[in-house]
Amino acid sequence: MYKTIALTQDARGVVTLSLARPEKHNALSRQMLLELTDAAQALAVDPTVRVIVLRGQGATFCAGGDLAWMQAQMQADSETRAAEARILAMTLYHLNTLPKPLIGALQGNAFGGGVGLASVCDVAIGLDHLKMGLTETRLGLIPATIGPYVLARMGEAKARRVFMSGRIFSAVEAVQLGLLARAVPAESFDAEIESEVTPYLACAPSAVAAAKKLTRDLGPKIDETVIDHTISALVACWEGNEAQEGITAFFEKRAPAWKR
């Protein structure tokens, strides 16, 4: 059914939702985002699903935006750029509002949109050697559509430590920032994920869904107005000279003009 993601479900109702482009380090392509949205909508209404584990196949959880997608945006008009940004925004929205527990299993690095995916999980566990980073500003862009979820997870004070600098940080710092609940060695990774899954199987599913909705109702509002604002901010960056220079430099494998 899907080409860029994979779904499996065990007898307990635990679904593993895997990013399945390991050869591309699970970079977020347009197709992957549409498939993730479709899967999230289907899982949301499936009464047999109790818990969802989000992970990536291969060595990397998610390397961020797909390179081919970035190249296409360089030639696109404002309307197209906004429409493409909305695809990512709505993927995150549907994952964030799933009425089922969403457990992130980060077996490798997460950059850009990968940090956004980690931020919409109810809890994320990472391997102790992984690296994370909001690297958009290195390209003359901003972490816009993922921003509301990153801020909701970290809080403004912690987010300001990494949101603008583009620096890569360790799994240990990711725990301190609130992006990861724990950073664990590979040999205990599966057991740690299972420890997050198991308690939900003793809970009433509708009560879990209602409790999760309440946390979102009481937490930072991420509604249509917020989403529209992030899309406009991203498109404005795409319209500027820095994005053109940053992305061109990236593909030409040279330093951008501003690098010192």
Side-chain angles (χ1 to χ4, degrees):
M1 178 179 179
Y2 297 121
K3 294 183 177 180
T4 66
I5 63 173
L7 286 172
T8 60
Q9 182 171 339
D10 70 17
R12 304 174 299 168
V14 179
V15 169
T16 298
L17 170 57
S18 301
L19 309 181
R21 299 182 76 209
E23 74 286 355
K24 299 291 186 181
H25 297 280
N26 295 318
L28 297 170
S29 66
R30 187 179 197 274
Q31 182 177 10
M32 179 182 278
L33 293 170
L34 291 173
E35 291 184 356
L36 280 170
T37 297
D38 184 80
Q41 291 175 314
L43 293 170
V45 297
D46 187 338
T48 70
V49 175
R50 299 287 299 274
V51 186
I52 302 161
V53 177
L54 177 64
R55 63 196 317 156
Q57 294 181 0
T60 304
F61 174 69
C62 178
D66 182 73
L67 298 181
W69 179 86
M70 286 198 295
Q71 284 184 310
Q73 299 316 296
M74 291 179 67
Q75 309 301 324
D77 58 25
S78 297
E79 184 176 338
T80 300
R81 287 168 174 163
E84 293 298 303
R86 189 171 297 278
I87 292 173
L88 172 57
M90 296 315 296
T91 298
L92 295 170
Y93 175 81
H94 285 292
L95 288 170
N96 192 56
T97 55
L98 269 171
K100 317 286 174 92
L102 182 62
I103 311 301
L106 278 66
Q107 85 289 2
N109 299 338
F111 303 118
V115 178
L117 289 177
S119 297
V120 299
C121 294
D122 297 305
V123 60
I125 309 297
L127 288 181
D128 55 11
H129 64 264
L130 73 79
K131 304 292 184 184
M132 302 182 79
L134 295 152
T135 53
E136 289 86 346
T137 52
R138 295 185 180 191
L139 299 173
L141 296 170
I142 56 175
T145 47
I146 69 173
Y149 308 99
V150 173
L151 268 291
R153 175 53 56 90
M154 288 198 275
E156 182 183 351
K158 289 181 178 178
R160 285 169 71 162
R161 291 165 51 182
V162 294
F163 200 75
M164 303 87 74
S165 68
R167 70 178 177 85
I168 307 301
F169 49 92
S170 68
V172 171
E173 186 171 3
V175 173
Q176 295 170 350
L177 292 168
L179 284 169
L180 297 179
R182 296 186 296 286
V184 302
E187 57 268 23
S188 62
F189 187 55
D190 290 341
E192 291 286 346
I193 299 302
E194 182 63 22
S195 74
E196 294 294 338
V197 168
T198 302
Y200 287 110
L201 303 178
C203 297
S206 293
V208 170
K212 181 169 179 177
K213 183 179 184 301
L214 183 62
T215 66
R216 293 303 315 123
D217 290 343
L218 298 176
K221 302 302 180 187
I222 305 175
D223 55 15
E224 185 176 355
T225 299
V226 171
I227 291 170
D228 286 347
H229 177 65
T230 66
I231 291 170
S232 295
L234 181 58
V235 171
C237 280
W238 274 107
E239 303 288 311
N241 293 330
E242 286 186 344
Q244 296 298 310
E245 165 62 12
I247 294 169
T248 298
F250 177 82
F251 283 111
E252 293 179 353
K253 298 182 179 180
R254 62 172 175 82
W258 57 74
K259 186 172 182 180
R260 299 292 183 265

